[in-house]
Amino acid sequence: MPEPLVMISQLHKSFGDLHVLRGIDFTVDVGEVVCVIGPSGSGKSTLLRCVNLLERPESGTVHVAGEDVTDIDCDIDTARRQIGMVFQQFNLFPHLTALENCTVAQRTVAKRSKTEAVRIARDMLDRVGLADKIDQYPAKLSGGQQQRVAIARALCMQPALMLFDEPTSALDPELVGDVLTVMRKLAEIKFDGHVGQVPVL
């Protein structure tokens, strides 16, 4: 039986007197899609942010791909390269085209050549249905298209895990379907022959 891709054990997180996460335990297997559902303020975003240590929990452990990211000795920058995250807001660079938004991290963080970065970016933009928008700036794209660029940008880093923090909440209702369709297909994507996408909402 393969080890789960994500293992969270007895996770606790507080903000002052507000105890948001109270002993959270769960696992996520490779290729599995997990949705975290609850009312506003119930800790959904906090939980996701604890997975890649954007928030540090008070106690408990988070293992991603066999690495304890909550270990003080963990190189979190290296660990985060395996974790893609798409936020409620698109967070695209407004002065860069869709293609450039998808190549900047590849070249600066993953140290890929321009040729390789562009090839991967074109492939990922095609996967999210934006092959014809690669030269467009964010201001020229709809909200749904901008969110799909953000998804493609995260996928370009070829992560083992994808986290989505309410990615459709900032979209007009008629745009939600396109983004959800893209998300449903992510668990089937293979990088170098390995199935590695685990969307977690």
Side-chain angles (χ1 to χ4, degrees):
M1 192 75 177
E3 185 179 83
L5 183 63
V6 180
M7 292 190 295
I8 295 179
S9 178
Q10 283 300 296
L11 199 68
H12 288 263
K13 175 63 181 178
S14 298
F15 295 99
D17 294 331
L18 181 62
H19 196 171
V20 179
L21 303 179
R22 301 170 179 264
I24 303 297
D25 293 284
F26 71 88
T27 61
V28 181
D29 293 324
V30 172
E32 186 176 7
V33 178
V34 175
C35 299
V36 180
I37 301 172
S40 178
S42 62
K44 303 184 299 297
S45 295
T46 299
L47 174 60
L48 292 184
R49 291 171 68 86
C50 283
V51 172
N52 61 9
L53 237 61
L54 292 177
E55 296 285 354
R56 183 171 284 278
E58 272 75 47
S59 62
T61 59
V62 177
H63 287 80
V64 177
E67 175 135 25
D68 182 358
V69 300
T70 49
D71 188 326
I72 195 169
D73 294 324
C74 172
D75 183 344
I76 190 59
D77 290 332
T78 298
R80 282 180 181 146
R81 293 179 189 177
Q82 300 188 78
I83 306 170
M85 188 162 185
V86 179
F87 298 89
Q88 296 179 41
Q89 301 301 324
F90 319 124
N91 295 332
L92 299 177
F93 294 111
H95 64 292
L96 300 180
T97 65
L99 184 67
E100 291 166 340
N101 263 283
C102 291
T103 59
V104 63
Q106 293 189 71
R107 299 190 66 190
T108 58
V109 178
K111 305 301 182 185
R112 293 174 185 151
S113 68
K114 180 179 180 180
T115 300
E116 183 182 15
V118 167
R119 177 185 62 78
I120 293 171
R122 285 179 177 274
D123 180 38
M124 293 306 160
L125 286 167
D126 182 51
R127 286 177 182 271
V128 300
L130 293 176
D132 60 336
K133 302 293 184 181
I134 61 172
D135 294 322
Q136 295 291 320
Y137 289 91
K140 296 293 186 180
L141 301 174
S142 70
Q145 289 170 337
Q146 290 183 54
Q147 191 62 293
R148 282 186 281 157
V149 172
I151 293 171
R153 178 177 60 182
L155 290 174
C156 282
M157 298 303 287
Q158 300 182 335
L161 171 67
M162 283 288 290
L163 306 175
F164 292 90
D165 185 5
E166 299 188 40
T168 62
S169 64
L171 301 180
D172 294 331
E174 64 269 21
L175 302 176
V176 169
D178 288 343
V179 173
L180 291 180
T181 297
V182 169
M183 292 171 64
R184 289 189 189 101
K185 297 177 180 178
L186 295 185
E188 302 170 5
I189 293 179
K190 295 182 179 181
F191 295 136
D192 298 326
H194 300 287
V195 176
Q197 294 315 292
V198 186
V200 180
L201 285 75

